[in-house]
Amino acid sequence: MKLSRRRFLGLSAAGLLAGPTLYRPVLADGTRRLKLVLGNEQRQWFAPTGEPVALWGFDRDVLRLRQGEPVEIEVENRLPQPSSVHWHGLRVENAMDGVTGLTQAPIEPGERFFYRFTPQDAGTFWAHSHHRTYEQLARGLYLPLIVDEPELYPVDRDLVLALDDWRLNNERQLHTESFGDMHEWAHGGRTGNLLTANRQLKPAFEVRAGERVRLRLVNTANARIMLVELPSIPTWIIAKDGQPLAEPQPLSEPLVLAPAERYDVVVDIPVQASGSYKIRDVGQDEAAELASLRVAGQTEHRWFSAPAALPANPLPELGSAEPQHRLQLDMTGGAMGTLRKAVYQGETLGVQELIQKHQIWAFNGIANMPEQPMLDVKRGDLVEIEILNNTRWPHGMHLHGHHFKADLARYPKGIWHDTLAMAGGERSTIRFRADNPGSWLLHCHMIEHQAAGMVTWIRVAT
Ligand code: C2O
Ligand code: CU
C-alpha cells in the first residue's frame, strides 16, 4: 500500500448504528417487502441561524438486507425528474440493475418501480440513482446498503460512514449552476466545499474504551477521491467493495477511497482510551475532519486476538486458466490529454465538436455509450481487460454485476473489487468471470467523467 497516494490527488482541482430495522411484512414465499421513496430532503446544517439546505434523498438513512433473503423493494419517485435506483456492487439480475437506457426505463415522477432480487453477498454496498447521475448523485440521491451476514460478526459496534462532499453557493444552498460544467467534466469532476459523514457535519460516534468497532467506509461523492486517515489505534481491513479479505490486513496508513469504493475496517479502541479520535480526509491541502469516535466509559470484556476473517461470499472461481477473452481498454481524453477525435453516437468528431456535445473522454476511441457492446461473451467465460489510463487524471473504474481482481500492488493481495482506483498513467489488468447474463456497464465512477464519455458496456449471453 505504498505507491504515492498523493498521485491520486495531484491534479485534483449521524452515525447509523447497527440496530434492528423495522421490516414490513414478509410475503408467503419468504420475500421481504420494503418501500423506498425518492423525494425532497432538508438538512439543518446551519441551524439554528441558517436556512435548511434543500437536497434530494431516500426516506431512510440506511438500508439493511440479509444475505440470501429475497426482497421486493417498491421505489416511488416523488421528485420532479425521472430517476432509477442502482444497487451498487450487488450481483443482481440484469433487469434489476437500475441503469436507465440499458436495463430499464426511467421511473417517471409520481411513478413506481418494483425491484426484486436476493442479495447473494453479505457486505457493505450502496444504492444510488443511475439517471442523470452527475446531477442526482450531487443532489444526494444515495443510500448506504448493508447486507448482513447470517451469523453476527463479533464486534461491539457496527458503524456506517457514508462520506460525501457537497457544493454550496453563497446562500448555502446546492450550487446547481455547476451541474454540467464542462471545465470540471474535463478535469477532476465536480467536487464540493462541505464534507459530511452520513449527511451530518462531523458527527461524533460514542464508543467505549476496550471496544472493537466495525467501520464501513463508503465514498458517495461524485468525484472527490478521499484519503481517509483513521485514528492511530489497532486497525485491520476486513473487506473491500463488499467482499471479505481472506485474511484481515493491518492498516497503518491513510486509505485511498475513490468515489464508490468501500472498505470495512475493524478498529480496537484502547483500554486506556479517553477523549476523542478523529477520522479525517487528508487528501486536500488542509486536512478536514469527517467524523470522530468519542470515548465514553469502558467495556467489561477484552479483545485479545486480531479480528477473524469474514466468511467468504459465493463468488465464482477465477482460477489461473487462460481467459476466453483478452482485450485492452485505452482511456484517453480530459484536460492536458492527447484526444484529438473520437466516435460519438456513431460519428467521428473532432475535439471542438465533442466539447459542444459535452464529451471529452473516450474508451478505445469511443466517447460515451457505443451502440454495440465493447465485448460479447458467453455465460461463464473468463475475461481479462488490460486497462490503460492514458490520461493525466485518476479514475475509478466500476464494473456492474460482477466483482473482479486486479493486479495493482497498492491493494492487499487477492482482493476483490467492483470499483478500482487508478492513478494518472497507471495500467492494470482486471480478471473476472462473466457469470451474470445481461448488459452491464463498465464506467468511471467519477461521475462527470462517465457523463463526458467514460462509459461502455459488455454483454453476457444467457
Ligand atoms: Cu455506482 Cu454505474 O454505478
Ligand atoms: Cu474518471
Side-chain angles (χ1 to χ4, degrees), residues 84-88 90-105 113-118 120 130 369 373 375-377 379 398-402 434-442 456-462:
S84 73
V85 180
H86 168 58
W87 318 93
H88 183 118
L90 288 192
R91 299 182 294 134
V92 299
E93 209 187 292
N94 193 239
M96 300 291 121
D97 201 40
V99 179
T100 60
L102 188 67
T103 69
Q104 72 167 91
F113 189 92
F114 290 84
Y115 291 94
R116 297 185 182 89
F117 56 84
T118 304
Q120 300 183 59
H130 217 298
M369 283 290 275
L375 180 67
D376 255 310
V377 305
R379 182 175 190 177
H398 172 47
L399 174 63
H400 282 222
H402 300 78
D435 65 341
N436 201 349
S439 301
W440 304 103
L441 288 188
L442 174 59
T456 188
W457 59 295
I458 65 164
R459 185 164 50 201
V460 183
T462 36

Side-chain angles (χ1 to χ4, degrees), residues 73 117 144 207 281 305 309 383:
I73 304 176
F117 56 84
V207 297
D281 176 14
S305 48
V383 181

Side-chain angles (χ1 to χ4, degrees), residues 438-454:
S439 301
W440 304 103
L441 288 188
L442 174 59
H443 65 86
C444 179
H445 219 291
M446 295 172 72
I447 291 297
E448 290 76 18
H449 292 173
Q450 177 200 349
M454 291 196 134

